[in-house]
Amino acid sequence: MSRTESRAARLLREMRVSFVLALPLVLSQASSMGMNIVDTVLAGRHGPVTLAAVGVGSAVWSVVILVSIGVLMAVPPTVSQLNGAGRRGEIGPVFRQALWLALALGLGLVAVVRAGALALEPMGITAEARPEAVAFLKAISWGAPGLALFFCLRNLSEGVAWTVPSMVFGVVGLALLAPLGYAFMFGLELGAAGLGYAVALVLWCQAAAMATYLARSRRFADLGLFARFDPPRWPPIRALLKLGLPMGVSVFMEGSLFVATALLIGTMGTTQMAAHQIAILVASLCFMVPLGVAMATTVRVGHAVGAGDLAGVRWSAAAGYALALLAQTASAIGLVAGAAWLASLFTTDAAVVALASLLMAYAAVFQYPDGMQALSAGALRGMKDTRVPMFITVLAYWGLGLPLGAWLGIHLGQGAPGLWTGLILGLSAAATLLGWRFWRLSRRPLPAVVVT
């Protein structure tokens, strides 16, 4: 920072850089979330039972998304730190090992989804919605390897601070899903299973398109991403797992809080489940903005760490926090002001609209802690700090948020609103502890960039 540049001017400059990097990521994440919204809208038009079934199935499928995102989050900070340190020649070999990791992860998750389908009855999911939910999960499970490979490919691009492809292929995937989902669900009369098959096909198309782009783009030519075939090598895969597994646990702890909440609400009847599905989709769409900013913050912090720029680490994080705060304020206002209108876009059932509108008011409250915990986690990922955040998320979400939510919602009979109160408390605890962790680490000397 020059002597003549004020702190406010520096912050605005950093915010502009982060915004440019984050905007495609926000649109990419919104496109991914849009796929769930398309499924929900189509299922809602098919009937309340199908809507509830897809809600339950989407909750289980989200575990696959969370695990894939979390473990493969090892790629952006690894790549960005190498890029910041001027060691681009090491990126290609690491990337090829990450592809092996993604493929193995995706194949394993096929089995996880199918096991989840078998567990719906023991979980107490209503018999009315269970058959359709099982059909949805069996169909969508075929997309798990494509999903993992696509995340790996786009994470490589994001790690070198080129986020436009993530946006482009995300939007294309969303555009494909609507007609495919309609054709499979109504045209072929496959019901909820049709939505699952449509999602799986789109995910494989996205992975193939992203791989083709990376192989042919001049922007990545010097990295030699596909220059040769490398068999799996345990040392680099182990290094990625050492970084990615704690991230996977952290992301899973947060996401599974929402999944467990959805499953518990699924035992309370079709109306409460349908209302929860609508409200959580709208709230999750709002979350795409701070999530995209957090992903950009990971890249910027990682680049600063690679360059040995401690001040850059702090400014990159400050810019992310400021952007997230602005976004969450807008989201909270929109959720409160437009709750009934938003709910009516998904269903005409008056009882579902009323309850969904109430839940959106709760969502407006947790916009702030949700955004702040996402930004802190993103900044910590850029510093490759993953183990302590993992323990923080376990404590906040499963030690505090879910038990309190279950006590309020089930024991005290508050229903879905009680469980949503638990979400607010868990997110608030995570935001506080993760923010404190980043504040401490950002005041210590930076470690050397090491990639095995």
Side-chain angles (χ1 to χ4, degrees):
M1 181 171 63
S2 67
R3 294 180 180 179
T4 58
E5 185 180 34
S6 68
R7 295 177 66 86
R10 173 67 186 270
L11 179 60
L12 288 174
R13 177 162 62 85
E14 296 287 344
M15 288 174 66
R16 282 193 296 269
V17 175
S18 292
F19 177 80
V20 171
L21 185 62
L23 182 58
L25 293 174
V26 171
L27 296 175
S28 172
Q29 294 303 121
S31 298
S32 298
M33 192 64 228
M35 294 175 73
N36 287 337
I37 293 177
V38 168
D39 281 349
T40 300
V41 171
L42 290 174
R45 295 297 180 263
H46 197 266
V49 173
T50 305
L51 178 60
V54 170
V56 172
S58 295
V60 177
W61 172 247
S62 67
V63 174
V64 173
I65 298 176
L66 294 170
V67 172
S68 300
I69 289 175
V71 173
L72 295 171
M73 273 182 175
V75 176
T78 300
V79 171
S80 63
Q81 288 194 12
L82 288 172
N83 193 42
R87 294 158 55 183
R88 287 174 63 88
E90 299 177 40
I91 292 175
V94 171
F95 166 71
R96 287 188 286 275
Q97 297 305 309
L99 284 177
W100 285 113
L101 175 59
L103 180 60
L105 180 66
L107 292 173
L109 289 173
V110 173
V112 170
V113 176
R114 289 178 170 262
L118 297 175
L120 295 183
E121 183 175 0
M123 289 178 185
I125 301 303
T126 57
E128 189 179 18
R130 197 163 56 239
E132 285 288 289
V134 170
F136 175 81
L137 286 170
K138 288 183 176 179
I140 203 172
S141 68
W142 297 112
L147 176 75
L149 288 169
F150 178 62
F151 280 143
C152 182
L153 293 160
R154 59 172 278 186
N155 284 349
L156 179 280
S157 182
E158 293 166 10
V160 294
W162 181 235
T163 57
V164 173
S166 297
M167 174 189 68
V168 172
F169 294 116
V171 172
V172 170
L174 177 60
L176 283 174
L177 180 60
L180 282 176
Y182 186 87
F184 286 11
M185 185 175 194
F186 294 98
L188 298 180
E189 298 182 354
L190 295 176
L195 292 178
Y197 286 122
V199 172
L201 180 59
V202 168
L203 292 172
W204 277 106
C205 289
Q206 286 179 310
M210 189 73 185
T212 302
Y213 171 77
L214 292 180
R216 296 185 177 182
S217 174
R218 294 181 179 179
R219 184 180 292 270
F220 302 96
D222 67 308
L223 301 180
L225 299 177
F226 301 99
R228 66 176 187 269
F229 174 83
D230 286 346
R233 293 178 53 243
W234 177 240
I237 291 177
R238 179 180 58 197
L240 289 169
L241 285 172
K242 183 178 179 181
L243 181 61
L245 283 177
M247 292 183 188
V249 173
S250 296
V251 173
F252 177 76
M253 285 299 105
E254 178 187 359
S256 61
L257 171 66
F258 290 88
V259 172
T261 299
L263 293 176
L264 287 173
I265 293 174
T267 66
M268 299 176 182
T270 300
T271 297
Q272 296 224 30
M273 184 62 224
H276 170 81
Q277 174 69 0
I278 291 170
I280 203 66
L281 274 175
V282 175
S284 298
L285 185 59
C286 294
F287 179 66
M288 294 304 101
V289 178
L291 179 59
V293 175
M295 294 166 69
T297 301
T298 296
V299 175
R300 294 206 64 211
V301 168
H303 191 277
V305 170
D309 182 5
L310 183 57
V313 169
R314 296 171 184 167
W315 279 111
S316 296
Y321 282 120
L323 288 171
L325 243 129
L326 291 173
Q328 297 306 80
T329 298
S331 296
I333 293 172
L335 284 167
V336 171
W341 175 77
L342 288 168
S344 67
L345 294 177
F346 295 90
T347 182
T348 56
D349 188 302
V352 174
V353 169
L355 183 55
S357 300
L358 173 62
L359 295 180
M360 285 186 207
Y362 285 79
V365 175
F366 74 57
Q367 290 301 297
Y368 292 103
D370 206 10
M372 293 302 99
Q373 67 82 22
L375 257 296
S376 296
L380 289 168
R381 285 194 297 270
M383 302 180 78
K384 289 189 176 180
D385 181 61
T386 60
R387 295 187 66 185
V388 172
M390 174 183 69
F391 292 117
I392 287 174
T393 54
V394 171
L395 172 64
Y397 300 136
W398 285 84
L400 178 65
L402 185 62
L404 284 175
W407 181 68
L408 292 169
I410 298 174
H411 181 70
L412 295 186
Q414 295 181 10
L419 283 157
W420 277 58
T421 301
L423 296 179
I424 295 172
L425 295 172
L427 290 167
S428 298
T432 302
L433 294 172
L434 290 172
W436 172 78
R437 174 70 177 173
F438 175 74
W439 182 86
R440 287 197 62 189
L441 289 187
S442 64
R443 276 146 184 81
R444 298 177 182 176
L446 294 175
V449 177
V450 177
V451 178
T452 303

